[in-house]
Amino acid sequence: MKFPSPGRFPPLILDDVRGAQKMLCGVSKVTPLEGSRHLSALVGAPVLFKCENLQRTGSFKLRGAYVRISGLTPVERAAGVVAASAGNHAQGVALASALLGVRSTVFMPVGAPLPKVAATREYGARVRLHGTVVDETLAAAQEYARETGAVFIHPFDHADIIAGQGTVGLEILEQCPEVRTIVVGVGGGGLAAGIAVAVKAVRPDVRIVGVQAAGAACYPPSLAAGHPVSIGSLQTMADGIKVGRPGDVPFGLVQDLVDEVRTVSEDELSSALLLCLERAKMVVEPAGASPVAALLSDPKSFHGPVVALLSGGNVDPLLMQRILTHGMAAAGRYLSLRLRLTDRPGALATLLGVLSVADANVLDVSHARTDPRLGLTEAEVELHLETKGTEHCEDVKAALREAGYRVME
């Protein structure tokens, strides 16, 4: 088995992950594997979810945070710890600190989901809001550490963090010894690196596929360059993997041990989250659904049994509402369109009759009569419809055109 050269960063081996597993006994849950019949049918082989969304604090992050803080000296513990996170690492550090009796301060982006901020405070951390993206928040937390002497707990760029996250990989091997492919979301790379160290040491034949949001994919250019590089614009709903630069420590491990890193679109993330909720009855955040998005986008490229890691379930209900609407639209379950009709009594009833025959459920209707582009006797109608898939959407539009309406999307 090929490991990165020892001079590049602190070495990390299987024994480190096994030691972390012993340390976490009674602290973190051994989360279940749940089968997905729908994805299994698409892939043509068994697909199982590793449900870290059911972990304490709602994500895998407790594992690494607890291992890292457990390794601090008494003097370091007395100084307290500081972390930066969009939410999941924040909660992991807050709970780990509380369990170990260590004072914690957590920096979070100004736009962090309110439930994550509230949960972090409830676990006992002092929360400070700073910056709009995680990289800005990281810089503020590191400055705080320099000023106060608090120990900075990095979300992914430390060997202890990676060892803790790697315990997920050991559990997968114990729960599904016949696994052939593990699919995992990638932000800074700590989770993928830890799983790769654990799994490849025991089963080098297992294929490990990392998944990033296309709008925040720092690994593909970094892997191409052979070293971590920063990317500029970060545009994705998946805040848990919205990282602009790979960590130095996990990068080498990902480079040498992870077989492939793919990207998925926002539409694919939305569809994956909708599938998790509808088919698997799992509340999963966008970052946690990224492996499912990869499976949906190209199911025949995976060899099973496949384990897809649902890495977190902490999602703002308001964001969930927007994502579900987006996902329904991407799946052809929600159709928005505009059309013009003659502004006369009964015109709307006639239109609704056409939609009724086409079996489209009308969710909302709005009129515009004062647009200067409209004729004197015209009205523009905007419709929001519940539909049954992309083919039904096309049938609805065809029925409207056949009835003489000009459809504008």
Side-chain angles (χ1 to χ4, degrees):
M1 174 182 176
K2 182 177 69 170
F3 277 95
S5 59
R8 296 216 312 244
F9 47 76
L12 187 69
I13 59 175
L14 177 61
D15 285 346
D16 295 318
V17 184
R18 285 179 170 154
Q21 189 176 42
K22 291 178 182 177
M23 193 178 298
L24 288 167
C25 183
V27 175
S28 63
K29 290 182 179 180
V30 176
T31 51
L33 282 187
E34 298 287 345
S36 170
R37 290 163 63 181
H38 179 73
L39 285 175
S40 297
L42 291 177
V43 172
V47 175
L48 303 103
F49 294 147
K50 175 61 171 170
C51 302
E52 281 296 290
N53 58 313
L54 303 180
Q55 184 58 262
R56 295 181 71 178
T57 74
S59 88
F60 69 95
K61 288 289 191 177
L62 171 65
R63 297 172 183 263
Y66 189 89
V67 173
R68 173 76 172 98
I69 297 170
S70 293
L72 298 180
T73 67
V75 172
E76 288 173 326
R77 291 191 186 199
V81 299
V82 59
S85 167
N88 289 338
H89 179 62
Q91 292 174 72
V93 168
L95 178 57
S97 299
L99 293 172
L100 293 165
V102 177
R103 184 177 68 256
S104 63
T105 301
V106 176
F107 284 74
M108 302 180 75
V110 173
L114 294 178
K116 292 185 180 182
V117 175
T120 303
R121 287 191 172 119
E122 287 170 9
Y123 286 128
R126 185 166 66 113
V127 174
R128 298 181 63 168
L129 301 178
H130 182 93
T132 57
V133 296
V134 174
D135 290 340
E136 295 173 357
T137 309
L138 277 170
Q142 289 168 327
E143 179 62 26
Y144 177 89
R146 286 189 289 269
E147 291 175 352
T148 66
V151 179
F152 178 63
I153 308 298
H154 200 285
F156 49 81
D157 207 11
H158 193 280
D160 288 347
I161 293 287
I162 295 170
Q165 321 305 29
T167 60
V168 177
L170 294 181
E171 289 179 15
I172 290 172
L173 292 179
E174 292 162 2
Q175 294 169 311
C176 184
E178 67 277 17
V179 64
R180 293 184 64 194
T181 307
I182 296 173
V183 192
V184 54
V186 178
L191 177 62
I195 289 175
V197 168
V199 172
K200 290 289 190 177
V202 181
R203 287 277 311 281
D205 60 303
V206 172
R207 184 170 178 80
I208 299 176
V209 178
V211 184
Q212 292 208 288
C218 59
Y219 264 89
S222 296
L223 292 169
H227 58 83
V229 298
S230 298
I231 58 174
S233 176
L234 300 174
Q235 300 293 330
T236 179
M237 69 179 81
D239 62 296
I241 53 174
K242 191 176 180 179
V243 178
R245 182 185 185 276
D248 292 327
V249 180
F251 175 78
L253 294 165
V254 170
Q255 183 181 43
D256 285 14
L257 301 176
V258 172
D259 296 281
E260 180 185 0
V261 176
R262 302 185 180 192
T263 61
V264 292
S265 69
E266 298 299 286
D267 282 351
E268 289 164 342
L269 285 168
S270 296
S271 296
L273 191 146
L274 185 62
L275 182 142
C276 288
L277 189 64
E278 283 193 322
R279 296 298 187 96
K281 315 307 177 190
M282 290 284 177
V283 176
V284 183
E285 62 189 278
S290 57
V292 179
L295 287 166
L296 287 173
S297 68
D298 192 6
K300 296 303 181 183
S301 65
F302 294 90
H303 299 292
V306 178
V307 173
L309 179 58
L310 306 183
S311 57
N314 296 313
V315 58
D316 184 345
L318 293 176
L319 176 61
M320 173 72 86
Q321 183 179 22
R322 295 199 299 271
I323 291 171
L324 290 179
T325 300
H326 187 93
M328 288 179 70
R333 302 267 304 280
Y334 185 86
L335 176 63
S336 296
L337 49 83
R338 293 176 295 116
L339 49 83
R340 293 182 183 180
L341 47 75
T342 303
D343 190 14
R344 59 175 175 75
L348 181 58
T350 302
L351 170 62
L352 296 179
V354 174
L355 294 171
S356 178
V357 171
D359 203 20
N361 184 32
V362 179
L363 301 175
D364 187 49
V365 180
S366 61
H367 281 81
R369 295 183 175 89
T370 58
D371 192 312
R373 293 171 298 178
L374 294 173
L376 186 63
T377 61
E378 282 187 318
E380 187 171 278
V381 176
E382 184 174 350
L383 296 164
H384 300 282
L385 310 173
E386 184 180 3
T387 47
K388 300 175 182 178
T390 53
E391 186 175 338
H392 186 217
C393 288
E394 294 305 315
D395 291 343
V396 170
K397 288 185 282 187
L400 289 169
R401 292 188 183 103
E402 188 176 339
Y405 297 101
R406 189 178 125 203
V407 177
M408 300 171 286
E409 297 181 58

